Amino acid sequence: MSDVKITIIDREGISHEVDAPTDMSMNIMELVRAYELAPEGTIGICGGMAMCASCQCYVLSEDVELPPMEVDEEAMLSEAFNVKENSRLGCQIHITEEIEGLVVELAPES
């Protein structure tokens, strides 16, 4: 079992460095929920299906290369609020060894 370190900046601006397991098929949205970094019912409302953008986050790491967006993620972000160039849906960022050191900031609640 190997973990990677990921930094999540919550909606209050507080930075949390967390251990993220690479062997549990988790994503950033599930990680935020597991560490209770967003109030219950405010993140992952659609259950991680890229249908609500409640898990939108801003990728602040320039040295971590994420897989490109799928069509569903692009479509959801095109309709979401507070979207920036570095916006991604947390439910679509899977925890793998390749994202070691990732830093994300949760987007404001819409």
Side-chain angles (χ1 to χ4, degrees):
M1 181 164 95
S2 64
D3 290 353
V4 293
K5 294 277 186 200
I6 294 177
T7 301
I8 299 169
I9 301 169
D10 67 23
R11 291 179 176 139
E12 307 296 319
I14 300 167
S15 181
H16 307 268
E17 185 179 74
V18 300
D19 292 316
T22 59
D23 62 346
M24 295 179 64
S25 296
M26 289 180 76
N27 58 49
I28 297 296
M29 182 253 330
E30 292 167 330
L31 193 64
V32 169
R33 290 169 99 179
Y35 280 96
E36 298 178 349
L37 302 179
E40 183 79 28
T42 64
I43 191 161
I45 295 166
C46 73
M49 305 297 290
M51 296 175 68
C52 73
S54 65
C55 65
Q56 180 188 175
C57 58
Y58 307 124
V59 176
L60 304 180
S61 303
E62 293 184 14
D63 56 340
V64 177
E65 195 168 325
L66 296 176
M69 276 192 235
E70 298 286 330
V71 175
D72 292 346
E73 182 178 8
E74 281 186 45
M76 188 66 252
L77 285 172
S78 73
E79 299 175 15
F81 296 102
N82 304 307
V83 175
K84 297 180 180 181
E85 267 191 36
N86 60 341
S87 288
R88 293 294 300 260
L89 296 181
C91 67
Q92 300 301 300
I93 302 173
H94 298 282
I95 298 170
T96 62
E97 290 180 7
E98 291 76 29
I99 69 166
E100 171 78 46
L102 179 69
V103 179
V104 296
E105 178 182 1
L106 299 182
E109 217 179 319
S110 301

